[in-house]
Amino acid sequence: MEKIMGLIEETTELMLDWEKINNISNENHVIPVAVQNMNTKEVILIAYVNKLALEESIRLRKVVLWSTSRNKLWFKGQESGNTFTLHRIFVNCEQNSLVFIATPDKGGICHTSHNGVPNNCYYRELDMETMKLINLND
C-alpha cells in the first residue's frame, strides 16, 4: 500500500505499514532502535541503526540512525535543527534491538506538530472499539 506523506500523519484511519520491514535492504544489516526521552520517558520514535550509525552515535553522543527509505546515514535533526543528545544505550537479551536514552536539544521531536507545538511521534492512540486513531492533542 502506497502512502502519501501528510495523509498518513493526519488521518484517523489505521493504515499500518505491514511491508516496511520486508522492504529494508539486507545489505545494511539494520536492527531496530527505540529512542526514549530521558526526562519524560516518552518513546520518541522507533527507527533503525546499522553498525556505522551506532558507531557515529557513540562517537558524537548524538542520535544517528540509518534511514531505510533513503538508504543512508540519518543524523536525527540535521535538517530541522531538532537534534538529540545521547545519554545511554540499552541492548536487549538477544542483541537484536536497542534503546537510546536521549534528550531533545531543543523543542522539536517529530516532523509533525499540532498548532505549532512539536509532537513526539506517538501522538495518536488507537480506539480499539472503533479502530480509529485519536489525536491525543485534540
Side-chain angles (χ1 to χ4, degrees), residues 85-128:
T85 296
L86 180 62
H87 299 281
R88 302 172 78 187
I89 299 173
F90 292 94
V91 181
N92 76 326
C93 59
E94 295 180 345
Q95 297 197 44
N96 59 10
S97 67
L98 302 171
V99 176
F100 283 2
I101 306 297
T103 51
D105 294 326
K106 63 181 207 178
I109 294 175
C110 184
H111 68 280
T112 65
S113 64
H114 182 73
N115 295 328
V117 177
N119 291 315
N120 74 23
C121 289
Y122 293 88
Y123 56 92
R124 291 176 292 183
E125 180 179 354
L126 178 62
D127 180 320
M128 293 186 283

Side-chain angles (χ1 to χ4, degrees), residues 3 7 59 112 134:
K3 296 180 191 103
L7 171 64
R59 183 178 74 79
T112 65
I134 301 167

Side-chain angles (χ1 to χ4, degrees), residues 18-30:
W18 297 108
E19 299 298 317
K20 172 70 177 181
I21 292 177
N22 294 339
N23 294 329
I24 296 174
S25 170
N26 280 338
E27 67 191 43
N28 293 306
H29 304 288
V30 296

